[in-house]
Structures are given as structure tokens and as C-alpha cells.
């Protein structure tokens, strides 16, 4: 685990995938990948394409080592800040079925990133955005065409689930 990384707790990671259910064949984007553990879990559950975004040099080294040791051939790693990556994906017309966001706590990054995703359409039509955030970080119920439909709490951690709203 790279220094300065707050890994997603096992119980929270399990909850994400229990809630998602069958993700076989979907595309999965993990912004603020850290160690990449959530994305690697998605790969083990059959996602067709895994995309990881991380800008920490130490974390990138560990992610690359893990990609190699896991022999992942359908994993794209972007060594960018999340904001730049989202802009690149939008420009390249990339869409993802599941977008998982776990930004650093206490910096209002969860709200800022969610609002950015509301402005850049990189979510597939029936896709989901999952934001892992600190319980005191209050997210809006709506960001662009993304609408909150579920929240689950695990100690100090909250998982907020968004999907595109038809209105």
C-alpha cells in the first residue's frame, strides 16, 4: 500500500459489489484509484474494461506492479488528476457503466468531482456513479443529470449512488 493512501475498507468494498450485483461485461472507471483495490475487485468479478485514474507517483508504481502481477490485459491506467482524466474521456467520447469515486476525505473533493461528472457526460445511459465519502461531507441530491437514489452508511464512510435522471 503506498504511503498516504486511505484504502477502501473490506466491508465497504464488499458492500459496493453486493449492491452492484452482476457486473460481468461492464466497463468500470475508478477515479482516485489509490491502490486500485476496488478496480481490481471489479476485474475479478468480470468487468470487460477497467480504467484506473491516479496521479500519485508512489500509488502509480504500486498499481503498475499489481496490474503486472494480476496479468490484467484489459486495464487502462491514466496517470492524471481526476479532473484532467474526465475531460480527456469526455473529449474522446468514452462512456463507463460504473464510475467509482473515492477522493481524499476532508477536501470537498467528493462534491467537486460529482459536480464535474454532472457536467461531463462520460456515464453510459444505464450507468451508475458511486461516491465513497466521509459522513460529514454532504453531497447534493442532483449534479447535472445525475440524481442520488441510494445512500448506505458504514461507520464514518458513506456510499452515495447516482444515476442519470430522465428529467
Amino acid at each position: 500500500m503506498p504511503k498516504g493512501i486511505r484504502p477502501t475498507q473490506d466491508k465497504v468494498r464488499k458492500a459496493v459489489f453486493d449492491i452492484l450485483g452482476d457486473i460481468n461485461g461492464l466497463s468500470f472507471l475508478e477515479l482516485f484509484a489509490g491502490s486500485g483495490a476496488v478496480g481490481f475487485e471489479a476485474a475479478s468479478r468480470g468487468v470487460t474494461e477497467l480504467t484506473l485514474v491516479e496521479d500519485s507517483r508512489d500509488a502509480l508504481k504500486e498499481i503498475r506492479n499489481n496490474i503486472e502481477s494480476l496479468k490484467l490485459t484489459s486495464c487502462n491506467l491514466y496517470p492524471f488528476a481526476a479532473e484532467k482524466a474526465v475531460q480527456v474521456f469526455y473529449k474522446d467520447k468514452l462512456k463507463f457503466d460504473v464510475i467509482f469515486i473515492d477522493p481524499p476525505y476532508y477536501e470537498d473533493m467528493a462534491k467537486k468531482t460529482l459536480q464535474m461528472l454532472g457536467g461531463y457526460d462520460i456515464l453510459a445511459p444505464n450507468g451508475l456513479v458511486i461516491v465513497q465519502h466521509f459522513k460529514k461531507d454532504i453531497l447534493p441530491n442532483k449534479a447535472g443529470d445525475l440524481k442520488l437514489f441510494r445512500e448506505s452508511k458504514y461507520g464514518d464512510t458513506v456510499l452515495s449512488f447516482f444515476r442519470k435522471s430522465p428529467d
Side-chain angles (χ1 to χ4, degrees), residues 2-166:
K3 288 181 181 176
I5 298 295
R6 174 193 38 78
T8 298
Q9 297 173 336
D10 289 342
K11 69 180 178 181
V12 175
R13 192 168 60 238
K14 180 182 181 324
V16 166
F17 292 102
D18 285 350
I19 291 167
L20 283 175
D22 182 12
I23 58 171
N24 194 48
L26 300 180
S27 59
F28 192 98
L29 167 62
E30 183 179 6
L31 293 173
F32 306 97
S35 68
V38 173
F40 296 140
E41 177 82 15
S44 77
R45 292 173 181 257
V47 297
T48 306
E49 186 177 334
L50 172 62
T51 302
L52 302 173
V53 175
E54 178 56 57
D55 65 350
S56 161
R57 192 172 285 166
D58 290 339
L60 284 165
K61 182 180 175 187
E62 293 303 318
I63 291 171
R64 285 186 183 104
N65 290 340
N66 287 331
I67 290 170
E68 188 176 312
S69 68
L70 295 169
K71 297 178 177 37
L72 292 177
T73 56
S74 61
C75 181
N76 303 303
L77 177 59
Y78 289 81
F80 301 152
E83 182 176 354
K84 180 180 179 185
V86 169
Q87 291 169 350
V88 167
F89 299 150
Y90 179 74
K91 180 179 165 260
D92 292 345
K93 297 181 172 43
L94 295 176
K95 303 272 184 177
F96 301 92
D97 296 305
V98 179
I99 300 174
F100 181 81
I101 307 166
D102 181 13
Y105 284 7
Y106 314 113
E107 296 178 24
D108 213 21
M109 289 299 297
K111 181 178 179 182
K112 289 175 187 173
T113 306
L114 178 64
Q115 289 171 329
M116 181 179 53
L117 286 173
Y120 289 90
D121 186 17
I122 64 167
L123 185 65
N126 294 315
L128 297 174
V129 174
I130 305 163
V131 184
Q132 178 179 326
H133 58 98
F134 185 61
K135 68 181 180 182
K136 292 184 179 178
D137 291 341
I138 306 301
L139 299 183
N141 289 330
K142 198 165 168 41
D145 64 350
L146 300 176
K147 186 171 182 175
L148 178 70
F149 72 92
R150 177 180 183 157
E151 280 192 333
S152 299
K153 294 183 176 137
Y154 305 90
D156 287 343
T157 298
V158 178
L159 294 174
S160 296
F161 292 79
F162 293 81
R163 65 176 145 219
K164 287 185 178 181
S165 171

